[in-house]
Amino acid sequence: MEQPIFSTRAHVFQIDPNTKKNWVPTSKHAVTVSYFYDSTRNVYRIISLDGSKAIINSTITPNMTFTKTSQKFGQWADSRANTVYGLGFSSEHHLSKFAEKFQEFKEAARLAKEKSQEKMELTSTPSQESAGGDIQSPLTPESINGTDDERATPEVTQNSEPRAEPTQNALPFTHSSTISKHWEAELATLKGNNAKLTAALLESTANVKQWKQQLAAYQEEAERLHKRVTELECVSSQANAVHTHKTELNQTIQELESTLKKKEEEIERLKQEIDNARELQAQRDSLTQKLQEVEIRNKDLEGQLSDLEQRLEKSQNEQEAFRNNLKTLLEILDGKIFELTELRDNLAKLIECS
């Protein structure tokens, strides 16, 4: 009996069989995709149902590879189904989890296959020895019912008693006995093979019954899941409305936050301009005060300059008067020097005359 060991939700796609390029959705909405383990056959399968329809029924083999083609999409090829399956997940986390499980169960399938091959080799060795070294072929529908040659072999055995033809020489008795023993051994081998095939047929019949029971259980599970999906779709429709309203609110909040951020930037710019204006006002007041001080000092300097001009003019007048006095004194001095010269000359004459 198969049991689900891991389940998730995803949108299911299959590759377009005509183009081999485009994806064709096989489900209208996200469905449950589960890993199943068949303990009877020791195999792992991926199964997904859309209502009562199986849209994925893929047996995991060691040569399969699950590829992530984007952050939320992955795919794998199933050569038995001759298709490529694709799954679209709601988040990258769900995709990574599904890929991890795929790798885990792929490795388990590989180990199970190796153990099964070892077991088949061990069980086939005695049968090969007993059958004279004949290699047993895999179990196929033809091997269950017998191929045309195998079905014809018993008839040949029954009707192939060695006898001499009228136109040929009779065979020796000893050679005829050897041929008879050979055909008896072949008949025993065929009977053994027939018994094995009968047992395999019975086992296949039992497996078919078991598979029918499993299918009935899957159908019941599918109906239950379908009802659950219907309920979830109703809840999902309400959740979609809430999600839409939430999205609108988030957009409004983002717009308000953007407007608030712009206003804050405008306020910061205005504050900076106010600080610059205050600084400029302080510089203006300082310059005005310095200008007033310069004007006062300029007035003082103008007063001092006027006083200096007056003093200079007075000094120039005094110098002019002093110059005039010096000229007068020089003229008087020249007159006195002339008189003294005449007096000297007269005294000199008087001295000479005396």
Side-chain angles (χ1 to χ4, degrees):
M1 183 67 181
E2 286 183 319
Q3 297 293 334
I5 52 180
F6 177 78
S7 297
T8 186
R9 300 277 295 178
H11 290 270
V12 180
F13 300 85
Q14 284 190 18
I15 200 71
D16 190 345
N18 297 322
T19 63
K20 298 295 183 180
K21 293 181 180 180
N22 301 326
W23 290 106
V24 178
T26 56
S27 63
K28 296 180 180 179
H29 46 74
V31 295
T32 301
V33 181
S34 302
Y35 286 99
F36 281 81
Y37 174 63
D38 187 351
S39 57
T40 304
R41 300 172 59 195
N42 197 19
V43 296
Y44 294 86
R45 292 200 296 167
I46 303 174
I47 296 175
S48 179
L49 300 175
D50 189 5
S52 59
K53 178 184 177 183
I55 56 178
I56 297 179
N57 187 2
S58 178
T59 302
I60 299 176
T61 60
N63 58 348
M64 282 186 177
T65 302
F66 184 82
T67 305
K68 298 179 183 178
T69 57
S70 67
Q71 293 183 348
K72 298 182 181 180
F73 193 87
Q75 67 184 49
W76 78 96
D78 190 340
S79 58
R80 295 183 180 181
N82 193 23
T83 187
V84 179
Y85 293 102
L87 296 180
F89 296 88
S90 59
S91 66
E92 185 177 0
H93 171 72
H94 290 85
L95 173 60
S96 299
K97 190 68 176 178
F98 188 89
E100 291 175 3
K101 292 295 182 182
F102 192 98
Q103 187 66 25
E104 177 183 346
F105 299 145
K106 171 185 171 181
E107 184 67 18
R110 184 185 66 80
L111 296 175
K113 183 177 179 181
E114 291 178 355
K115 290 181 180 179
S116 177
Q117 289 178 348
E118 292 175 358
K119 185 176 179 181
M120 289 178 64
E121 290 175 356
L122 292 174
T123 56
S124 64
T125 302
S127 62
Q128 291 174 357
E129 293 175 355
S130 62
D134 293 338
I135 299 175
Q136 300 293 327
S137 60
L139 187 61
T140 61
E142 290 79 4
S143 65
I144 293 174
N145 298 323
T147 61
D148 295 338
D149 295 338
E150 289 173 348
R151 287 195 294 268
T153 303
E155 297 177 359
V156 173
T157 306
Q158 294 174 1
N159 300 323
S160 60
E161 294 295 333
R163 64 182 182 275
E165 297 293 335
T167 58
Q168 295 178 353
N169 297 325
L171 295 175
F173 177 76
T174 55
H175 185 61
S176 176
S177 177
T178 303
I179 294 174
S180 178
K181 290 180 181 180
H182 172 72
W183 284 116
E184 286 177 359
E186 288 291 333
L187 180 60
T189 302
L190 290 173
K191 286 181 179 180
N193 290 338
N194 190 24
K196 291 179 182 179
L197 293 173
T198 304
L201 181 60
L202 293 175
E203 184 181 357
S204 299
T205 305
N207 288 335
V208 169
K209 291 180 180 180
Q210 185 179 2
W211 292 340
K212 288 182 179 180
Q213 293 176 356
Q214 291 179 1
L215 180 60
Y218 291 155
Q219 289 176 349
E220 293 178 359
E221 181 68 14
E223 291 177 358
R224 186 185 67 81
L225 292 174
H226 185 66
K227 291 180 181 179
R228 180 59 178 167
V229 167
T230 304
E231 295 175 357
L232 290 175
E233 284 178 350
C234 295
V235 175
S236 177
S237 61
Q238 298 177 358
N240 288 334
V242 173
H243 181 70
T244 303
H245 185 61
K246 181 181 178 181
T247 303
E248 293 176 355
L249 289 177
N250 288 334
Q251 290 178 354
T252 305
I253 291 171
Q254 290 178 357
E255 292 175 358
L256 291 175
E257 287 179 349
S258 177
T259 305
L260 180 61
K261 186 177 181 180
K262 291 180 180 179
K263 294 295 183 183
E264 289 178 351
E265 291 177 355
E266 184 70 17
I267 290 172
E268 290 295 330
R269 186 180 64 80
L270 292 174
K271 285 182 178 179
Q272 188 174 2
E273 289 181 357
I274 290 172
D275 292 338
N276 293 335
R278 288 178 179 175
E279 185 177 356
L280 291 174
Q281 183 66 29
Q283 292 178 0
R284 179 176 174 276
D285 294 340
S286 176
L287 292 174
T288 302
Q289 184 177 359
K290 289 181 179 179
L291 181 60
Q292 291 176 354
E293 292 177 354
V294 169
E295 289 179 351
I296 294 172
R297 187 175 179 183
N298 191 20
K299 289 181 180 180
D300 292 339
L301 291 175
E302 287 178 354
Q304 292 178 5
L305 181 59
S306 178
D307 187 22
L308 288 173
E309 286 178 351
Q310 291 177 0
R311 291 172 62 184
L312 180 59
E313 185 179 359
K314 182 178 179 181
S315 176
Q316 287 177 352
N317 292 331
E318 289 177 353
Q319 286 180 1
E320 186 67 26
F322 182 72
R323 190 177 294 110
N324 292 331
N325 291 331
L326 285 177
K327 286 181 179 180
T328 303
L329 288 174
L330 286 173
E331 290 176 354
I332 294 172
L333 183 59
D334 289 338
K336 294 296 184 182
I337 290 171
F338 184 74
E339 289 178 355
L340 287 173
T341 303
E342 287 182 351
L343 179 61
R344 178 181 175 279
D345 292 336
N346 291 329
L347 288 174
K349 288 177 178 181
L350 286 178
I351 292 171
E352 290 178 358
C353 288
S354 63

